[in-house]
Each structure stands twice: as C-alpha cells, then as structure tokens.
Amino acid sequence: MADFKKRTMEYEAVVGLEVHVQLRTRSKAFSRSRCSYGEEPNGATDPVVLGLPGALPVLNREAVLQCIRAGLMFGSQISRITSWDRKNYFYPDSPKNYQITQQARPICVGGTVEIELPGRARNIQGEHRFIRLNRIHLEEDVGKLTHEDGHSLIDFNRAGTPLAEIVTEPDLRSAEEAAACLNSIRMYLAHAEVSPCDMEKGQMRCDVNVSLRPMGSDELGTRVELKNLNSISAVRHAIDQEILRQGRILRANGTILQETRRWDAVRNCSDGMRRKEAVHDYCYFPDPDLPPLRLGEELIQRLRDELPEKPFDRQRRYERCYGLPYTLTSVLCPSRALGDFFEAAVKIYNNPRAIANLVANDLLREIGAVGGCWSELRLSPNDLAELVAAVDRGELSKQSAQDVLAAMCHSGERPAAAMERLGIGGSDIDLEKICREAIGENVRATAEFKGGKVAAINALKGAVMGKTAGRADPPMVDATLRRLLLKNTE
Ligand code: ADP
Ligand code: MG
C-alpha cells in the first residue's frame, strides 16, 4: 500500500463509472418474451428478441417506470420527453445488428449518489460524499456468447432484458470510492425494488473509465475504459492496476492511448482490446419503430410518492430518533427487509435498542442460515416485540432470548410457547420468591458464599432449578441470587 501511494503520488486518479443494471420486470424491454435467468438456452426468446424480419418492438411500460424509479432514488431530473435510438454495430450478440438505447434524450438526467467511504475501522462511520450522475437511460441487454473448444455458443435469453445504464461524472478518485459508489447504487436500487443488483447473476455490471492527471490540475487526462468487471473486487483491482500502468507510462514520458481494455481477473491485469470508438462509429439515429414518449408530471409524482426512504436517510433517522449506534444502523439500513422488520417491531413494542440488537445480530444470523430466504423465516415483528417485552418483564434473560428467538424463527411458535417447549423462563415463575426460599433453605451454601467462596452459589442455583423443574432461566437465576445475596450482606 505504501508502495502504491509512493508510485502514484504525483498524479491524481480520475474515475467514472458506467453501470448497467437489469431492471426487475416480468417481460423484456420491447417484447412479451419473459425475462429469465438460468433457464435452458434460447428458451426465453421470441421474434422481436431474435430480430426476425418484420418483428416490431413494443415498449414495456414497466421498464420505463423502473428506470424513472431509479432516477428518482438519485434525485435525477426526469425528462418530459424521452426517445429511443439505434446503436449500430456488428457482433453476434445482437441479431438485429443494432441495440435499442437512448442517446439524445435519456429518461433521467443528473442526480447524485451518496457514498460512504470506509471508516478507520469496520465499526466506525466513514466520510460521506456525493457523486454526480450524468444520466440514466434505458436500453436492451444483448445475448450471451460462450467460447469453448474453438467454437462459440450463443444464448439469447438475456437479449432484450431491460437495462438501466447509469453514467457517473468523473467524480471518483480511487478504487475505494468506485467500490463505495457501486455499493450505494446497489443498496439504493435494491431498496426501491428496481433490481436486486446481484453482480454474480450479472444483474449489475460495470465498465470503469480511468485517467490520471498531475496533482492539482483540473483538466481531464486521456481515459482508458476497462471492461469485463464481474465483481466489486475486480473493479477495485482493475482500477488500482490501471492507475499503476498509466503512472508508469506517464513517468516514462509516454502518452496514454484512449482505448478499451479487457480485465483478466485470473492474471490480475488488462489487455488492450480496441481503440476507443468515437460516438460516430455507432451511427446513432432515432429508432423509427419507437415513437418518442411523453412522461406526465402526475405519473412522475406518483412514482416519487411511492418510493421508499433512501437508505442513508433512514440510517440518519435511526440514529436521531432511536439513538442507535452506527454499529447497529450500519447493519439494519443497507437491507430494506431488515430495517422494515425492525421498524414494525418497534411500532408494537417501544424498545428500539433491544429490538435492534436482536434483529441486527440474531435475526440476521438466522436468515443467513436459511440462505437469506425471508419466506422461510417464520418470525413476525409481533413475535419479536413480544419476546423483548418478556425480557423486560424479567421472564427470561437477554442471553436466553437469543436461543428462544432462534427456535421461534424455525418453528413459528409464539414466544410463550417456545419458552415452554425449551423449558426457559416463563411468566408463572416468581423467580425472586423462589430464590429467597432457596437462600433460606440452604444456610450453609449461603454462608460460604458470603464468606467469599464464590462457587457456593452453584448449590443455590441447583436448588432453584430443582424448585422450578429446570424451567428457570439460568442467567436470570444467577443474577437474581447475586442481587439478593449481596443485598443481604450489606
Ligand atoms: P462513452 O459513452 O463513449 O463511454 P461518456 O462521455 O459517456 O463516453 O463517458 C463515459 C464515462 O467516462 C463516464 O462515466 C465519465 O464520467 C467517464 N469519463 C469521461 N472522461 C473521463 C476521464 N478523462 N477520466 C476518467 N473518466 C472519464
Ligand atoms: Mg462507454
């Protein structure tokens, strides 16, 4: 790292992202063919997707709405008139020999992405910054080529899937910031249910543009575009390597070629692919099959009203209104489902701190255990609220509440039923009274404990467990006994 800093000190890195996000819609951007993932190759196609002669595209309304939602999450201006263009190129992933995209009048213009840079430690909040967006436009995805044993296979299932292309301004200054920006985009769009943005499934893909300039300069240097980045860690490595590569060239008085390079994650380096094509190479022109679209103010306002709170706003609200620490809000807020669950439980029983602790630690662990599948989780916010209320009434300890919660998640039992089955705590046990009795009946152990033999408390605990037929909550028994014994000593 020190080495990296030294070798790149005289230059500042400038990075801009082009992020492609598959929009969550049932059917494709311009046809009725279903959007699918992981099915038999070429099952989810139709004449439009295959570019058969005479097939005409019809715009999918939901794809437009999803793109508008994306823009509204980032505060973009939504265009009142938007239109479609053909980007012409010749490659087997697109049987029409053009891609329907938006060049002149994208759906969304401007906006900002709030990012959080890594803090000094995992549990410390990092600095927040705003990265400007240039635009978000709607386009269609292309088919997928697989090259093996000297031949190539093509699958058009992905072709025609609606994509939002999110283009940032060159506001990022490091690999770290680019990673933070991708994380934010994913978090915001998942919240709005615009896309799950799972990079492993190719639902979010990204090209990065990198240039260097002398420290202190405000002109932009020649940029290189990097492609084939399939994970956030690939994005980080590719940017760091590119900064080093360009630094080496510039220090040797060389010039940077404006080009597109392909990242090779296995070799951890990039190779030149082609000279960067200029816009005119694609011969963009308005698609004559798709008329421009007018977007009404009412529609935009309705979509704006329906959007969820932005994740970082939610985090600030949890800190302000519930007094929760960063260690909890930073776990609750990136996941809409987790935050919603927490809030629903707090509405029923007002102990935000205890509820947040159980949700951010125990509930999250149980969800992880079922592969993140919320539908398999049999716990309702109401059950969680009841459980925390039982702890507050002294019916079971915080530690035992964790075990009860884990059991409830899988059995779907109410807290009282789970406690009874597990033989933990219960509202019918007057623990204080039973502990008093045990102290009175076990004179010797009591005397020994007070005389400094700490282990003597075990005999008293055993007595209490016996009296309650093992149902008392051991940590609570321990705490209650100690409290009574120490009180008696004073
Ligand atoms: P294209 O569509 O040809 O790739 P754009 O002008 O749309 O070109 O820019 C694409 C991306 O490149 C944007 O994210 C932008 O921020 C970024 N970018 C533009 N100039 C530079 C530069 N000099 N250095 C780094 N990134 C840049
Ligand atoms: Mg580009």
Side-chain angles (χ1 to χ4, degrees), residues 18 20 87 165 207 209 223 225 227 276-277 282:
E18 292 163 273
H20 287 98
K87 178 179 179 177
E165 176 167 341
D207 299 340
N209 293 269
R223 76 176 146 126
E225 183 182 46
K227 287 191 178 288
K276 175 75 193 162
E277 49 299 276
Y282 289 121

Side-chain angles (χ1 to χ4, degrees), residues 191-212:
H191 264 244
E193 294 176 340
V194 162
S195 169
C197 295
D198 185 341
M199 284 187 93
E200 269 177 35
K201 291 188 180 162
Q203 291 164 338
M204 179 160 110
R205 309 193 290 272
C206 155
D207 299 340
V208 307
N209 293 269
V210 181
S211 65
L212 292 190

